Amino acid sequence: MRAVRLESIGSMAIHMVEKPNAGPGEVVVRVLAAGICGSDRHMYKGEYPTAIPVTLGHEFCGLVEEVGEGVSSFVGGELVTVDPNIACGTCPACRRGRPNLCANLKAIGVTRDGGFAEYVAVPCGQAFTLPSDLDPVHGAFCEPLACCIHAIDRAKIRPGESVAILGGGVIGLLMVQLARLAGADQIILITRQLSRREAALRLGATQAIDPTATDVVAAVRDLTDGGVDVVIECAGVPETLQTGVQMVRRGGAFILFGVTPAGLAVPVLPFDLLVNEVDIRPAYLNPFTHSRAAAMVASGILELDSLVTKAIGLEEVAEVVGGVPLPGEIKVIVRP
Ligand code: NAP
């Protein structure tokens, strides 16, 4: 079968490899749609730890093709979404109910072969059934959505609150929709590209700001009477970390979601964080949220089609992951 492999930092290519078999407790999924994520680009550049060589692709949806020994939850033919993050269940973090902080975390498409391939073998407990008539492209959104749901849980948005979201990629545009569903009264999306600001306004943002055209901290403070209740940082760049913590109201929450390169330091002003009691809450991965994401996607409550800006075959994956995002690009979907 064909698979797109990360061979070393900065080197990715399509290869013919053995089709995987379903081991005990596993299912083999025929991949119908897989999303390219900002994290894939981080892995390609060596900014996020991964096993090498490995087939990337951790946001995917497909049909159960083969069922391994001891699997009773699938018979074959089901449309499934896969939670890529495999916690050990026995380390101190897992035993405290924090599987996303598992000391032995493995991840499909990161530390074991993933979905930029025709087939992928996964532990059956990672697969969640979707309605058979669901568009598999929508199914590919379950993984990023599950991470966003965890961030929204951490944000504890209450009806009537104000939320600022920095970064208008697919994550920021999913957060806009989730903040609206959580009852936020004011949702401010901050991103540089006009097309994304327009998309955010269509998806439920009440205001959209270009951070290059104005003093964004002053603008948000003006719009929110001194500061926003919740900031969700979804860009992962030093500038948005620095401006984001400054636009939180006194006693408000800053949700750290964007991935900055490992080892990168960002200066902050601890005095300001202290006297304003800015509540900094990182949100990492998708603990216990994948089934909720699958249910939301299945319900059709989210607008996903307009987030897909390109569909490609496996042959083009290396070029897209290794390149810079094109202007206007939101989500690229791979159809193996
Ligand atoms: P993305 O497509 O790269 O979107 C991030 C966007 O932020 C950029 O495209 C850019 O859009 C915007 N941006 C960059 N600099 C900015 C600035 N100075 N001010 C405002 N906006 C700026 O990535 P994504 O897929 O949406 O993911 C967002 C982040 O979440 C990534 O870092 C990803 O790795 C991370 N992530 C985290 C988790 C988790 O569990 N915590 C899970 C999934 C993804 P413009 O060009 O419009 O400014």
Side-chain angles (χ1 to χ4, degrees):
M1 68 163 190
R2 292 167 307 141
V4 186
R5 312 263 298 156
L6 181 66
E7 297 158 317
S8 59
I9 304 297
S11 170
M12 207 175 165
I14 190 163
H15 288 281
M16 288 303 290
V17 300
E18 285 291 313
K19 180 185 169 192
N21 294 315
E26 289 187 339
V27 293
V28 168
V29 175
R30 178 155 70 87
V31 181
L32 297 181
I36 292 181
C37 169
S39 305
D40 294 316
R41 290 190 166 112
H42 288 302
M43 289 182 244
Y44 176 87
K45 289 191 265 184
E47 296 172 348
Y48 190 95
T50 170
I52 289 178
V54 71
T55 301
L56 295 186
H58 57 276
E59 305 177 354
F60 59 93
C61 173
L63 290 169
V64 174
E65 167 102 357
E66 187 193 330
V67 176
E69 191 189 316
V71 176
S72 57
S73 42
F74 296 97
V75 294
E78 297 90 344
L79 185 71
V80 291
T81 163
V82 173
D83 173 359
N85 299 305
I86 308 170
C88 74
T90 56
C91 73
C94 284
R95 286 159 65 101
R96 280 190 208 105
R98 308 285 297 272
N100 55 326
L101 308 182
C102 170
N104 308 304
L105 195 70
K106 308 244 181 320
I108 300 162
V110 181
T111 61
R112 59 180 270 173
D113 289 340
F116 294 154
E118 291 176 79
Y119 299 92
V120 53
V122 305
C124 67
Q126 303 299 126
F128 294 78
T129 307
L130 292 167
S132 58
D133 59 351
L134 187 87
D135 182 345
V137 172
H138 293 186
F141 278 89
C142 292
E143 196 280 338
L145 180 65
C147 296
C148 294
I149 290 174
H150 176 52
I152 295 290
D153 286 351
R154 298 274 283 158
K156 300 191 179 106
I157 297 166
R158 292 177 301 179
E161 284 195 328
S162 54
V163 178
I165 295 162
L166 293 121
V170 69
I171 293 290
L173 295 173
L174 288 171
M175 294 286 196
V176 165
Q177 299 187 61
L178 291 174
R180 176 174 50 81
L181 291 167
D185 178 54
Q186 200 174 8
I187 302 168
I188 306 166
L189 190 278
I190 297 148
T191 203
R192 295 165 303 180
Q193 293 181 53
L194 174 63
S195 60
R196 291 166 167 199
R197 295 196 299 278
E198 289 173 343
L201 293 170
R202 282 195 302 275
L203 295 170
T206 50
Q207 285 101 4
I209 300 177
D210 176 358
T212 63
T214 185
D215 175 343
V216 71
V217 175
V220 171
R221 286 192 174 159
D222 278 353
L223 286 168
T224 54
D225 200 18
V228 76
D229 294 307
V230 174
V231 169
I232 309 179
E233 195 288 322
C234 308
V237 296
E239 186 187 332
T240 49
L241 288 157
Q242 290 177 307
T243 57
V245 291
Q246 293 171 50
M247 60 179 72
V248 182
R249 72 157 161 78
R250 301 192 79 184
F254 175 86
I255 309 302
L256 173 60
F257 192 85
V259 176
T260 48
L264 180 84
V266 178
V268 293
L269 301 172
F271 180 83
D272 292 2
L273 298 178
L274 175 71
V275 299
N276 293 310
E277 282 205 346
V278 175
D279 191 353
I280 297 180
R281 299 182 207 143
Y284 183 51
L285 305 179
N286 56 349
F288 307 115
T289 53
H290 202 91
S291 62
R292 289 163 62 198
M296 281 191 93
V297 167
S299 78
I301 198 167
L302 298 170
E303 167 48 42
L304 301 174
D305 287 328
S306 63
L307 304 183
V308 178
T309 44
K310 196 173 184 190
I312 61 172
L314 287 172
E315 307 71 28
E316 294 169 82
V317 171
E319 192 186 336
V320 172
V321 172
V324 287
L326 298 173
E329 178 186 304
I330 301 177
K331 175 60 82 183
V332 178
I333 292 283
V334 184
R335 304 296 305 256

